[in-house]
Amino acid sequence: MIIQPKTRGFICTTAHPEGCAEQVKRQIDYVNAQPSITGPRNVLVIGASTGYGLASRIVSSFAAGANTIGVYFDKAAEGARTASAGWYNSAAFEEAAAAAGRKSYSIVGDAFSDEIKAKTIDLIRTELGQIDLVVYSVASPRRTHPKTGETFSSVIKPLGGTYTNKTVNFHSGEVSQATIEPATEDELRQTIAVMGGEDWQMWIDDMEQAGVLAEGATTVAYSYIGPEITHAVYREGTIGAAKNDLEATAKRLNEQLSTNGGRAFVSVNKALVTQSSSAIPVVPLYISALYKVMKEKGIHEGCIEQMYRLFSERLYGNCETLVDEKGLIRVDDWEMRPEIQAEVAEVWAKLSTENVYDLSDLAGYRREFFQLFGFETDGINYEADVNPEVNITNLR
Ligand code: NAD
């Protein structure tokens, strides 16, 4: 089958197995070129197939030499439909981990369900015994509550007032004004139910009760703060309220785990092109401006660089200030440097359809978006016939 990108809005409905494998290989190569980390031995990553979760799994396995279990929601190829990018990424990861002599297992299914939690706990018991790091990196538009059966949908909306700002159609380069009406109380409640901390807490409770969390275990989930320009729609909007809930959960989990020498953190990461962030209005244009400024200064990072820094310098490093005054780990520190933000704000004020490719790195954004699905990757022949059916070796 010849596989080409097919887009629908901010979604690409096809993925290329060889391109995805090459993207995973590049992340592994990056990590292999860095000093190794004395860190966790057995790691569970929930939301492990793309973005920050995949990078966390790669760092765990290839920098710390850990055994890993990845839980994710991805689809295998079927008929004329390719598998999802996360499926191909995970197949490539598992193959490389096995070649490097590390144990790795995949569980594909809904992490929000009791069934997948129970299945994962059984797998830990039989294969790894106990887990000493749990990474929670799920980003989802929906969640069905395992106890009540209610299905919640998340929205990305401001609270209290209408928000208008610049946005870009990153396929056409057209810069326009996006106007988003404020969320209702119910939309806010549902967004917190999807992207807040309840499911993370459920995972840790179930694992603790089952005795599969090692003494001194660490858990980490990811958050974002970002610049003034996106505050109304992000940090002070529905998704920010969900992140507040996630951060409050980290405090509770930290107390809970500390009785056994453990710790819980939220790490605030940098804005990056992922399947989730491309769905947020305004953010792709901000990321394009940010990339331009950070690349020019030589401090640009992708998911893998961010996660390597999180593990080596923060979670398992000897840094003096592990958390900020709110108790958050900050690997968005380079993004948030005042001089970076001042330059981005200057660019932002000038951005229009006419100058967007000159003033921002929209071309880089677009390319990275397609690379998430294994396209636009050097060294891959996209005219060649390729088998879309790829097995994941240790799928349970
Ligand atoms: P992503 O879309 O790349 O990855 C999401 C992962 O969650 C995938 O592995 C997917 O399979 C999995 N997933 C989704 N629904 C699931 C379900 N029901 N069951 C099991 N797995 C499921 O997202 P990302 O951007 O890497 O986001 C991960 C976390 O990082 C989120 O909390 C996000 O808010 C945070 N974050 C993202 C950015 C950014 O700019 N992308 C910045 C800072 C923090």
Side-chain angles (χ1 to χ4, degrees), residues 104-240:
S104 72
Y105 306 93
S106 283
I107 289 191
V108 175
D110 182 6
F112 298 134
S113 69
D114 283 343
E115 182 205 338
I116 290 296
K117 289 182 180 76
K119 195 173 172 183
T120 307
I121 287 169
D122 279 350
L123 177 64
I124 298 167
R125 272 210 197 95
T126 51
E127 298 296 345
L128 302 180
Q130 287 189 317
I131 293 290
D132 43 27
L133 172 65
V134 180
V135 176
Y136 190 86
S137 188
V138 174
S140 172
R142 261 174 306 284
R143 170 178 174 229
T144 297
H145 196 283
K147 312 296 177 202
T148 66
E150 184 177 358
T151 297
F152 309 101
S153 293
S154 70
V155 296
I156 298 159
K157 290 189 177 180
L159 295 173
T162 304
Y163 169 76
T164 300
N165 212 327
K166 287 179 193 178
T167 194
V168 70
N169 174 333
F170 59 86
H171 299 297
S172 68
E174 188 197 341
V175 176
S176 61
Q177 293 286 320
T179 296
I180 313 168
E181 296 302 323
T184 62
E185 275 299 316
D186 194 52
E187 285 174 324
L188 172 62
R189 178 186 72 90
Q190 294 202 34
T191 305
I192 293 172
V194 180
M195 289 299 286
E198 189 185 20
D199 186 56
W200 184 24
Q201 175 85 53
M202 285 177 166
W203 271 96
I204 298 299
D205 286 348
D206 286 6
M207 291 177 72
E208 224 181 10
Q209 273 158 27
V212 296
L213 263 189
E215 206 182 312
T218 297
T219 186
V220 65
Y222 300 136
S223 186
Y224 183 62
I225 294 177
E228 202 63 43
I229 38 177
T230 63
H231 274 182
V233 72
Y234 192 94
R235 195 63 221 196
E236 286 156 16
T238 47
I239 191 84

Side-chain angles (χ1 to χ4, degrees), residues 338-371:
E339 68 275 18
I340 298 290
Q341 284 302 319
E343 258 191 65
V344 173
E346 210 173 292
V347 169
W348 186 263
K350 295 183 200 149
L351 281 171
S352 69
T353 307
E354 290 65 42
N355 61 26
V356 67
Y357 287 103
D358 296 327
L359 296 187
S360 83
D361 187 28
L362 186 61
Y365 184 99
R366 198 187 154 281
R367 186 172 153 85
E368 269 195 34
F369 173 81
F370 283 107
Q371 287 178 342

Side-chain angles (χ1 to χ4, degrees), residues 47-52 72-74 109-112 137-140 222-224 243 269-272 274-277:
S49 62
T50 54
Y52 277 120
Y72 46 91
F73 212 21
D74 278 276
D110 182 6
F112 298 134
S137 188
V138 174
S140 172
Y222 300 136
S223 186
Y224 183 62
K243 291 300 184 189
N269 302 341
K270 180 194 181 203
L272 282 176
T274 66
Q275 294 185 34
S276 298
S277 66

